[in-house]
PDB file of all heavy atoms in Angstrom:
ATOM      1  N   MET A   1      12.454   8.127 -65.429  1.00 80.00           N
ATOM      2  CA  MET A   1      13.682   7.329 -65.556  1.00 80.00           C
ATOM      3  C   MET A   1      13.478   5.923 -64.994  1.00 80.00           C
ATOM      4  O   MET A   1      13.870   4.931 -65.603  1.00 80.00           O
ATOM      5  CB  MET A   1      14.821   8.037 -64.810  1.00 80.00           C
ATOM      6  CG  MET A   1      16.154   7.323 -64.901  1.00 80.00           C
ATOM      7  SD  MET A   1      16.736   7.045 -66.592  1.00 80.00           S
ATOM      8  CE  MET A   1      16.907   8.733 -67.168  1.00 80.00           C
ATOM      9  N   LYS A   2      12.811   5.893 -63.830  1.00 82.00           N
ATOM     10  CA  LYS A   2      12.544   4.611 -63.207  1.00 82.00           C
ATOM     11  C   LYS A   2      11.723   3.722 -64.153  1.00 82.00           C
ATOM     12  O   LYS A   2      12.016   2.553 -64.342  1.00 82.00           O
ATOM     13  CB  LYS A   2      11.772   4.885 -61.920  1.00 82.00           C
ATOM     14  CG  LYS A   2      11.737   3.754 -60.949  1.00 82.00           C
ATOM     15  CD  LYS A   2      11.192   4.281 -59.621  1.00 82.00           C
ATOM     16  CE  LYS A   2      10.767   3.151 -58.729  1.00 82.00           C
ATOM     17  NZ  LYS A   2      10.204   3.667 -57.471  1.00 82.00           N
ATOM     18  N   LYS A   3      10.691   4.348 -64.719  1.00 82.00           N
ATOM     19  CA  LYS A   3       9.811   3.576 -65.604  1.00 82.00           C
ATOM     20  C   LYS A   3      10.553   3.143 -66.859  1.00 82.00           C
ATOM     21  O   LYS A   3      10.314   2.058 -67.393  1.00 82.00           O
ATOM     22  CB  LYS A   3       8.584   4.410 -65.960  1.00 82.00           C
ATOM     23  CG  LYS A   3       7.752   4.614 -64.713  1.00 82.00           C
ATOM     24  CD  LYS A   3       6.341   5.056 -64.975  1.00 82.00           C
ATOM     25  CE  LYS A   3       5.532   4.922 -63.678  1.00 82.00           C
ATOM     26  NZ  LYS A   3       4.688   6.045 -63.385  1.00 82.00           N
ATOM     27  N   ARG A   4      11.445   4.013 -67.300  1.00 87.00           N
ATOM     28  CA  ARG A   4      12.249   3.693 -68.479  1.00 87.00           C
ATOM     29  C   ARG A   4      13.104   2.450 -68.223  1.00 87.00           C
ATOM     30  O   ARG A   4      13.191   1.545 -69.050  1.00 87.00           O
ATOM     31  CB  ARG A   4      13.138   4.902 -68.761  1.00 87.00           C
ATOM     32  CG  ARG A   4      13.904   4.850 -70.050  1.00 87.00           C
ATOM     33  CD  ARG A   4      14.338   6.256 -70.395  1.00 87.00           C
ATOM     34  NE  ARG A   4      15.468   6.276 -71.304  1.00 87.00           N
ATOM     35  CZ  ARG A   4      16.065   7.406 -71.699  1.00 87.00           C
ATOM     36  NH1 ARG A   4      15.641   8.561 -71.214  1.00 87.00           N
ATOM     37  NH2 ARG A   4      17.065   7.366 -72.532  1.00 87.00           N
ATOM     38  N   LEU A   5      13.706   2.410 -67.049  1.00 89.00           N
ATOM     39  CA  LEU A   5      14.532   1.251 -66.704  1.00 89.00           C
ATOM     40  C   LEU A   5      13.686  -0.004 -66.563  1.00 89.00           C
ATOM     41  O   LEU A   5      14.107  -1.100 -66.939  1.00 89.00           O
ATOM     42  CB  LEU A   5      15.302   1.517 -65.405  1.00 89.00           C
ATOM     43  CG  LEU A   5      16.382   2.600 -65.486  1.00 89.00           C
ATOM     44  CD1 LEU A   5      17.001   2.839 -64.125  1.00 89.00           C
ATOM     45  CD2 LEU A   5      17.460   2.200 -66.488  1.00 89.00           C
ATOM     46  N   GLU A   6      12.491   0.170 -66.008  1.00 87.00           N
ATOM     47  CA  GLU A   6      11.615  -0.991 -65.864  1.00 87.00           C
ATOM     48  C   GLU A   6      11.279  -1.585 -67.229  1.00 87.00           C
ATOM     49  O   GLU A   6      11.202  -2.807 -67.384  1.00 87.00           O
ATOM     50  CB  GLU A   6      10.334  -0.581 -65.115  1.00 87.00           C
ATOM     51  CG  GLU A   6      10.559  -0.496 -63.611  1.00 87.00           C
ATOM     52  CD  GLU A   6       9.383   0.121 -62.855  1.00 87.00           C
ATOM     53  OE1 GLU A   6       8.391   0.515 -63.501  1.00 87.00           O
ATOM     54  OE2 GLU A   6       9.482   0.213 -61.638  1.00 87.00           O
ATOM     55  N   THR A   7      11.089  -0.706 -68.181  1.00 87.00           N
ATOM     56  CA  THR A   7      10.813  -1.184 -69.536  1.00 87.00           C
ATOM     57  C   THR A   7      11.998  -1.979 -70.080  1.00 87.00           C
ATOM     58  O   THR A   7      11.823  -3.052 -70.676  1.00 87.00           O
ATOM     59  CB  THR A   7      10.523   0.004 -70.461  1.00 87.00           C
ATOM     60  OG1 THR A   7       9.510   0.802 -69.855  1.00 87.00           O
ATOM     61  CG2 THR A   7      10.050  -0.465 -71.817  1.00 87.00           C
ATOM     62  N   LEU A   8      13.199  -1.446 -69.856  1.00 89.00           N
ATOM     63  CA  LEU A   8      14.395  -2.156 -70.308  1.00 89.00           C
ATOM     64  C   LEU A   8      14.466  -3.545 -69.694  1.00 89.00           C
ATOM     65  O   LEU A   8      14.715  -4.548 -70.367  1.00 89.00           O
ATOM     66  CB  LEU A   8      15.657  -1.375 -69.912  1.00 89.00           C
ATOM     67  CG  LEU A   8      15.879  -0.002 -70.531  1.00 89.00           C
ATOM     68  CD1 LEU A   8      17.201   0.566 -70.054  1.00 89.00           C
ATOM     69  CD2 LEU A   8      15.878  -0.118 -72.053  1.00 89.00           C
ATOM     70  N   LEU A   9      14.237  -3.568 -68.404  1.00 88.00           N
ATOM     71  CA  LEU A   9      14.356  -4.817 -67.664  1.00 88.00           C
ATOM     72  C   LEU A   9      13.313  -5.829 -68.147  1.00 88.00           C
ATOM     73  O   LEU A   9      13.604  -7.013 -68.316  1.00 88.00           O
ATOM     74  CB  LEU A   9      14.194  -4.535 -66.167  1.00 88.00           C
ATOM     75  CG  LEU A   9      14.485  -5.679 -65.205  1.00 88.00           C
ATOM     76  CD1 LEU A   9      15.881  -6.236 -65.437  1.00 88.00           C
ATOM     77  CD2 LEU A   9      14.356  -5.203 -63.767  1.00 88.00           C
ATOM     78  N   ARG A  10      12.105  -5.296 -68.360  1.00 86.00           N
ATOM     79  CA  ARG A  10      11.034  -6.188 -68.803  1.00 86.00           C
ATOM     80  C   ARG A  10      11.400  -6.804 -70.158  1.00 86.00           C
ATOM     81  O   ARG A  10      11.206  -8.002 -70.386  1.00 86.00           O
ATOM     82  CB  ARG A  10       9.712  -5.406 -68.889  1.00 86.00           C
ATOM     83  CG  ARG A  10       8.499  -6.297 -69.049  1.00 86.00           C
ATOM     84  CD  ARG A  10       7.201  -5.525 -68.842  1.00 86.00           C
ATOM     85  NE  ARG A  10       7.055  -5.026 -67.474  1.00 86.00           N
ATOM     86  CZ  ARG A  10       6.970  -3.741 -67.143  1.00 86.00           C
ATOM     87  NH1 ARG A  10       7.007  -2.823 -68.078  1.00 86.00           N
ATOM     88  NH2 ARG A  10       6.833  -3.385 -65.889  1.00 86.00           N
ATOM     89  N   THR A  11      11.940  -5.975 -71.017  1.00 88.00           N
ATOM     90  CA  THR A  11      12.352  -6.475 -72.327  1.00 88.00           C
ATOM     91  C   THR A  11      13.404  -7.570 -72.189  1.00 88.00           C
ATOM     92  O   THR A  11      13.330  -8.617 -72.840  1.00 88.00           O
ATOM     93  CB  THR A  11      12.934  -5.316 -73.166  1.00 88.00           C
ATOM     94  OG1 THR A  11      12.000  -4.250 -73.162  1.00 88.00           O
ATOM     95  CG2 THR A  11      13.219  -5.767 -74.582  1.00 88.00           C
ATOM     96  N   ALA A  12      14.370  -7.327 -71.304  1.00 88.00           N
ATOM     97  CA  ALA A  12      15.433  -8.315 -71.103  1.00 88.00           C
ATOM     98  C   ALA A  12      14.855  -9.637 -70.625  1.00 88.00           C
ATOM     99  O   ALA A  12      15.229 -10.713 -71.109  1.00 88.00           O
ATOM    100  CB  ALA A  12      16.438  -7.780 -70.094  1.00 88.00           C
TER     101      ALA A  12
END
Side-chain angles (χ1 to χ4, degrees):
Chain A
M1 182 57 62
K2 197 168 164 182
K3 293 197 167 135
R4 188 161 158 183
L5 292 176
E6 281 171 358
T7 308
L8 296 182
L9 189 55
R10 192 168 295 118
T11 308

